[in-house]
Amino acid sequence: MKTRGILSACTAASLWAISGVSGQLLFEQFHFSASWLVATRLLLAGIILLVIAFVRNKYQVFQPFKDKKDFFDLLAFSILGMFLVQFTYFKTIELSNASFATIVQYTGPFFVVLYESLKAKKMPSFVTLFLMGITLFGVILIASKGEILTVFTSRDSLVWGIGSAIALAFYSIQPRNLLRKYGSFTIVGWGMVLGSVVANCFHPIWQVDGMITRESFVQLLIVVLFGTAIAYLIYLSSLKFISASLASILTAFEPILATVLSVLFFHLTFSWLEIIGFICVLGSILVLQKRV
């Protein structure tokens, strides 16, 4: 059973990585914008999850709207969590590449640690601060492509990437009570649908700004269906067999695969300093997640 859980978590991480690469293909080859892709992805994937939630328990789906506090918490999760984590992630891909965006977003656990420390009015341990420093060093190596003095030339992608990490931290912390009370399918489904309302205010789904072809439709299907709805369902199923901490550690496979796929599909090359940066980021976060 544990093996099944491990395979499920790794499969979900793989689908998320593939989704990021498909997003990059949509940006570079078919000229879609991050704002349109996020609006489309959130709306369609959210509908899929809500349909599943309705089939599982139709009476539970609309319960969050009956409690005023829960409703406002759901709105906060939808806008500051679901919408921002998607938009900042794909905006980072649009400005850089899937590998860089995934690596930087994966620093989100450190912002979770900072929040928990501030909430407890307790300084993080020396080991945690040291790991945070190693992660920052690794991100700078990756962002500067090994030439640290040029990191400021890529400041836009770095800022959006850090924004995605902060949004991921909020996404991970804020909805805990809602998830326990109403279930994952209901909260994440509504989070995506309500988040898509905000996304559509910036870029309506019907204002398509890319090239609609059979190939682009396939890539869009990968992003919406496989990289969002199915990946999330598989990840949830892994939690039936393994702990949440182990599942989160296994998601380290995502940035590794995203890097490999970027090399294969976009012929990216990495210097030894960039490789050291990848190792610093992934290694420090793996150690941190084992400690918390």
Side-chain angles (χ1 to χ4, degrees):
M1 288 296 183
K2 185 176 181 180
T3 301
R4 181 177 176 181
I6 291 173
L7 289 175
S8 295
C10 290
T11 300
S14 300
L15 290 176
W16 285 325
I18 293 170
S19 171
V21 173
S22 292
Q24 188 174 345
L25 286 169
L26 288 170
F27 299 148
E28 294 187 0
Q29 296 187 10
F30 303 102
H31 310 296
F32 288 92
S33 66
S35 55
W36 181 86
L37 182 60
V38 170
T40 304
R41 182 189 196 190
L42 287 177
L43 179 60
L44 298 182
I47 291 173
I48 292 172
L49 290 177
L50 284 179
V51 168
I52 296 173
F54 185 82
V55 171
R56 288 163 59 94
N57 187 346
K58 63 182 179 181
Y59 301 105
Q60 180 108 359
V61 174
F62 299 100
Q63 289 299 315
F65 295 92
K66 297 181 179 181
D67 185 291
K68 186 176 181 181
K69 181 181 182 303
D70 289 344
F71 172 66
F72 282 110
D73 285 344
L74 179 59
L75 280 181
F77 169 64
S78 303
I79 299 171
L80 302 179
M82 187 63 72
F83 166 69
L84 280 184
V85 78
Q86 298 286 334
F87 180 73
T88 52
Y89 175 65
F90 279 104
K91 188 66 178 179
T92 307
I93 293 177
E94 186 178 42
L95 293 172
S96 55
N97 56 69
S99 175
F100 174 78
T102 307
I103 286 287
V104 178
Q105 189 185 63
Y106 202 62
T107 63
F110 283 107
F111 293 100
V112 175
V113 171
L114 287 176
Y115 169 80
E116 297 290 352
S117 298
L118 290 173
K119 184 178 179 181
K121 297 180 180 179
K122 181 180 177 181
M123 281 291 293
S125 68
F126 172 79
V127 174
T128 299
L129 292 174
F130 175 75
L131 292 172
M132 292 176 67
I134 293 296
T135 300
L136 177 61
F137 176 70
V139 169
I140 291 175
L141 285 181
I142 298 169
S144 65
K145 299 186 181 299
E147 299 179 11
I148 297 178
L149 294 179
T150 67
V151 68
F152 295 105
T153 63
S154 58
R155 63 183 181 276
D156 289 342
S157 60
L158 184 60
V159 168
W160 280 106
I162 293 174
S164 72
I166 296 174
L168 180 64
F170 181 86
Y171 171 94
S172 302
I173 297 170
Q174 192 266 349
R176 288 175 179 173
N177 291 331
L178 291 174
L179 291 170
R180 283 194 292 264
K181 190 172 182 179
Y182 300 108
S184 301
F185 290 100
T186 297
I187 296 304
V188 176
W190 280 120
M192 288 182 175
V193 170
L194 295 175
S196 74
V197 174
V198 178
N200 275 276
C201 291
F202 289 98
H203 196 142
I205 191 174
W206 57 86
Q207 292 182 1
V208 182
D209 55 7
M211 299 166 53
I212 299 295
T213 66
R214 183 174 60 183
E215 291 78 9
S216 65
F217 180 78
V218 170
Q219 298 303 326
L220 181 61
L221 188 66
I222 291 173
V223 170
V224 172
L225 185 60
F226 294 96
T228 306
I230 292 179
Y232 183 75
L233 295 177
I234 293 175
Y235 182 76
L236 282 180
S237 69
S238 73
L239 299 179
K240 298 177 182 178
F241 309 106
I242 59 177
S243 66
S245 59
L246 177 57
S248 65
I249 290 172
L250 290 171
T251 58
F253 188 58
E254 179 187 355
I256 295 172
L257 182 59
T259 300
V260 173
L261 291 175
S262 295
V263 172
L264 294 177
F265 283 93
F266 303 106
H267 308 293
L268 296 181
T269 58
F270 299 99
S271 67
W272 281 108
L273 287 177
E274 288 178 276
I275 293 173
I276 291 173
F278 289 137
I279 295 173
C280 287
V281 173
L282 294 177
S284 58
I285 293 175
L286 284 173
V287 173
L288 174 69
Q289 288 185 334
K290 290 180 180 179
R291 293 174 56 86
V292 298

